[in-house]
Amino acid sequence: MKYDHIIKQMTLEEKASLMSGKDFWQTQDIERLGINNIFLADGPHGIRKQAEAADHLGLNESLPATCFPTAATVANSWNTALGEKIGQYLGTEAVAQKVNVLLGPGINMKRDPLCGRNFEYFSEDPYLAGKLAAGYIKGIQSHGISACVKHFAANNQEERRMSIDTIVDERTLREIYLTGFEIAVKEGQTKTVMSAYNMLNGEYTNENIHLMQEILREEWDYDGVVVTDWGGSNDRVAGLIAGNELEMPTTAGETNQEIIQAIKTGKITEDVLDRCVDRLLDLIFTTEEVYNKPYQKEIDVASHHLVAQQVAEESIVLLKNEGNILPLKKGVKVATIGEFAKEARYQGAGSSIVNPTILDNTLDCIAQSSIENIGFEPGFERYGKKNQKKIDKACALAKEADVVLLYIGLDEATEAEGLDRQSMRIPENQRDLLDALYKVNPNIVAILSCGAAVEMPWIHKVKGLLHAYLSGQAGAKAILRVVTGEVNPSGKLAETYPIRYEDTPAYHQFPGKEVSVEYRESLYIGYRYYDTAGINVLFPFGYGLSYTSFQYSDLKVTKDGVTFTITNTGNMAGMEVAQLYVGCQSKAIFRPKKELKGFGKTFLNPGQTKTMTIAFDDKTFRYFNVKTNKWEIEQASYEIMIGASSEDIRLTNTIFIEGTGAPLPYESGTLSSYYSGKVNNVSEEEFEDLLGRKVPVSTWDRSKPLGYNDTIAQCQYAKGAFARFAFGLIVFSHWFLNKIGKRSTANIIMMSIYHMPFRGVARMTGGVVNMPMLDGILMMVNGHFFKGLRHVLKERSKMLKVAKSQ
């Protein structure tokens, strides 16, 4: 151990105290040994350091920081160097605010388009997500502080996220849900990993020995720190055994005592604790070094804002350009319509909310641009309320224009941490506006702002479609620079856009509503499913238009990789993203038709030709064999495809690869859906054949008393009238707040109360409610109101006496 000399000087109580937070955002310090506390702050796309009252929901304002485009946006750049540049700027700002650990990036897979936190994640593809994340991590950690890759692992829904049990087969877990983390750990060298809230195959991720020890520590040789998601600790001792160093936020010493008692009773040995302390001390000391010498305490706000603009420009995706309506021609009269033009939708909601240093306003930017704008009308109410007067005014303005710039998308209350979206549609009042505008002026260019895929049955009513995603504080200007042609769009989709939600692979299995969620679609998420099952999509993975054109030629394949040429055959300089896909031609093991195994982005002037090289790596031909329990290579011919998207394959060749000689992992006769790729509605029996075991019962046992890991929502079945009344009050409050237009407040009830397990009451209140008091609350819930109330009061009195004596 690195810090054995310090650990030997520490008491058992001091060692245990380091294992949970001092408060909401800081670790514990031990002054006599020179161990400082360190600060952890939210920050996937900007620093969210709260100076006043702390929370994990984005309620209280944080210190000003640059709000960069979200991960879902940056992923469309397909530029790992750009990711590293963002990381460097994030790191600079983190140091200026004296942050030691920046809680990001998030790299969970976009299993389903309705996951409420998709705006914070990169992609449906683990290779793309992992490579971008590694860039972020390198950039952040170049300043000596730590990134924190999250949420490890298989956290792909927000509903019941603190207690849902993810049921997934081992091969899918490794190939889809862990590969991005593997790249982040091995290539990014992240110093910190955040464990997810959910259970994985019956065990909380934080306590899951297979995940935390066998894979993370042993296979990937990770020697950094694991921190819980806030309030995500279930059994503190089990988490410690699994190698979790830090529980956040504080529990006012309650779980420290659990660790001490476990050592004193022989449940665990002290060296288990010592190893965790050693790793945490390394994080503390190494991330404090930057603050032991002069460091930059102020940032250049303007230059950071400009970088945010450049990132947004490279991440915007042009999805439709009928009749070359874009870029706008000079002298064209434009009507600007849409509430989002007045107040931009530029970031997500929840723990990633950033208080921007500057916020570009679309109307101000239009006034400063070459666009001949004849006026603005909001056209719709932001949060979905119908308003015919606004539609009428917008139509009157549109009649006078040559082109309508229509700003639409999803609002902040629809895409939020802690909640999943209810549909893939944009709000009805926006669709009504578009219908009305189309009747008076068909020359519509829609500017779409949202963090995930949406249905577009209205797409034939727009001639141009520019998807800005959530483009950060400088997004307004970036969008207009693309609209006017000052910037040639080069973004390509990092996720597939299905025609309708019913076409998605997890449609019948999302979200898990009660005990568990079954990943019956296995490997087939995103383009892996649509390509293999032959499902038509609206826009394929990797798709994006340009104001110029590119020609691919001269593909050469060797055992080391591929080379090919790209020529800009248009009349405008631009960047092109070339994508390497690989498909195994053997049918012995089920696989997607093709999988992304490399990519590159290059800038070309008109007429210019460049040779591109994409190397093969250890992930190009591998698959995870569940019989040998390791990565293997199947001996076969592999099709090598170079494409402008997953559907637009420009060049192909084949290569024969020697295999590792592993036994076949499956009997194809029992897994017909998986061999065909048609997995939209797999039976329970076939899924069990894939898993190799029975699936757990997915519904609550309503006959049992409620316990620590049951949710507040389950109070609807409680024996105690008090609990049922409280549940009714919660439901009514949620309905009433929605009714009066307070959707964000209504969402907080669902996020912070409705889906929270009872243990969260103790874990998230900083010691105000401890576990013995929670026992009393559960007595009340389970029908013993007065007995429970007495227990709560008695335990609270005990807690206050102990606090006074210290």
Side-chain angles (χ1 to χ4, degrees), residues 24 231 249-252 756 759-770:
F24 208 85
T250 181
T251 59
M756 182 180 283
R759 65 176 161 80
V761 176
R763 296 293 190 237
M764 289 292 280
T765 54
V768 174
V769 176
N770 63 16

Side-chain angles (χ1 to χ4, degrees), residues 319-336:
L319 293 176
K320 186 177 181 181
N321 197 19
E322 185 182 318
N324 292 324
I325 194 168
L326 291 176
L328 291 178
K329 314 298 184 288
K330 283 189 178 178
V332 167
K333 291 190 294 182
V334 171
T336 305

Side-chain angles (χ1 to χ4, degrees), residues 705-708 710-712 715 718-724 726 756-763 765 767-796 799:
L706 298 183
Y708 295 147
D710 293 310
T711 64
I712 309 296
C715 283
K719 290 180 180 176
F722 152 76
R724 295 195 302 275
M756 182 180 283
F758 280 97
R759 65 176 161 80
V761 176
R763 296 293 190 237
T765 54
V768 174
V769 176
N770 63 16
M771 293 301 280
M773 288 169 67
L774 183 59
D775 290 334
I777 293 171
L778 285 168
M779 287 178 202
M780 296 163 72
V781 165
N782 289 314
H784 305 287
F785 182 82
F786 292 107
K787 182 182 176 183
L789 183 59
R790 284 193 298 271
H791 189 87
V792 170
L793 295 172
K794 185 176 84 172
E795 292 299 332
R796 177 161 177 75
M799 184 177 72

Side-chain angles (χ1 to χ4, degrees), residues 450-598:
C450 50
V454 294
E455 290 177 359
M456 300 183 195
W458 41 263
I459 194 166
H460 62 285
K461 295 181 179 177
V462 301
K463 287 189 176 176
L465 179 58
L466 204 66
H467 200 339
Y469 270 71
L470 301 179
S471 51
Q473 67 179 49
K477 188 171 184 181
I479 291 164
L480 291 174
R481 279 170 55 81
V482 172
V483 165
T484 58
E486 292 172 78
V487 171
N488 190 350
S490 64
K492 296 203 174 189
L493 293 175
E495 60 189 318
T496 308
Y497 275 56
I499 294 170
R500 56 188 195 133
Y501 182 56
E502 289 80 1
D503 294 337
T504 59
Y507 171 68
H508 294 286
Q509 303 294 330
F510 181 92
K513 285 287 185 183
E514 295 193 5
V515 174
S516 62
V517 55
E518 296 170 9
Y519 286 25
R520 293 192 190 182
E521 72 283 356
S522 184
L523 305 170
Y524 300 100
I525 71 166
Y527 73 90
R528 286 170 166 80
Y529 168 66
Y530 302 112
D531 284 1
T532 309
I535 307 295
N536 290 330
V537 299
L538 182 63
F539 296 114
F541 176 77
Y543 174 87
L545 300 174
S546 171
Y547 295 150
T548 189
S549 55
F550 300 96
Q551 185 179 68
Y552 291 63
S553 61
D554 198 23
L555 174 63
K556 294 183 176 65
V557 180
T558 71
K559 63 181 179 61
D560 298 316
V562 300
T563 61
F564 54 95
T565 60
I566 297 182
T567 303
N568 183 341
T569 53
N571 54 15
M572 186 175 184
M575 288 184 278
E576 173 68 342
V577 176
Q579 302 152 42
L580 165 66
Y581 295 91
V582 174
C584 182
Q585 296 186 333
S586 165
K587 302 301 178 190
I589 301 167
F590 72 78
R591 295 172 185 259
K593 185 177 179 181
K594 66 173 81 77
E595 295 183 281
L596 182 75
K597 297 296 181 179

Side-chain angles (χ1 to χ4, degrees), residues 698-742:
S698 63
T699 53
W700 291 316
D701 184 346
R702 290 159 172 74
S703 66
K704 286 185 177 178
L706 298 183
Y708 295 147
N709 290 320
D710 293 310
T711 64
I712 309 296
Q714 288 169 256
C715 283
Q716 61 190 296
Y717 310 116
K719 290 180 180 176
F722 152 76
R724 295 195 302 275
F725 174 76
F727 172 79
L729 195 61
I730 291 166
V731 171
F732 173 78
S733 300
H734 181 259
W735 171 84
F736 181 73
L737 288 164
N738 268 321
K739 192 76 174 170
I740 63 172
K742 302 283 186 181

Side-chain angles (χ1 to χ4, degrees), residues 329-405:
K329 314 298 184 288
K330 283 189 178 178
V332 167
K333 291 190 294 182
V334 171
T336 305
I337 295 172
E339 167 65 24
F340 293 161
K342 183 182 177 184
E343 286 187 47
R345 174 79 208 290
Y346 64 97
Q347 66 173 325
S351 64
S352 66
I353 286 181
V354 177
N355 180 17
T357 54
I358 302 170
L359 183 57
D360 282 349
N361 178 277
T362 298
L363 299 179
D364 291 342
C365 291
I366 285 177
Q368 296 160 15
S369 74
S370 60
I371 294 171
E372 192 175 319
N373 188 43
I374 64 168
F376 162 75
E377 286 293 339
F380 62 86
E381 299 275 1
R382 191 177 194 87
Y383 295 109
K385 190 177 177 182
K386 297 212 170 190
N387 189 323
Q388 189 59 44
K389 283 185 180 178
K390 287 194 173 184
I391 291 177
D392 293 342
K393 284 185 176 181
C395 287
L397 180 65
K399 284 179 185 176
E400 306 301 316
D402 298 319
V403 172
V404 173
L405 275 187

Side-chain angles (χ1 to χ4, degrees), residues 743-767:
R743 284 179 60 201
S744 294
T745 310
N747 284 352
I748 289 164
I749 289 175
M750 300 302 283
M751 283 189 280
S752 60
I753 302 173
Y754 192 85
H755 292 305
M756 182 180 283
F758 280 97
R759 65 176 161 80
V761 176
R763 296 293 190 237
M764 289 292 280
T765 54

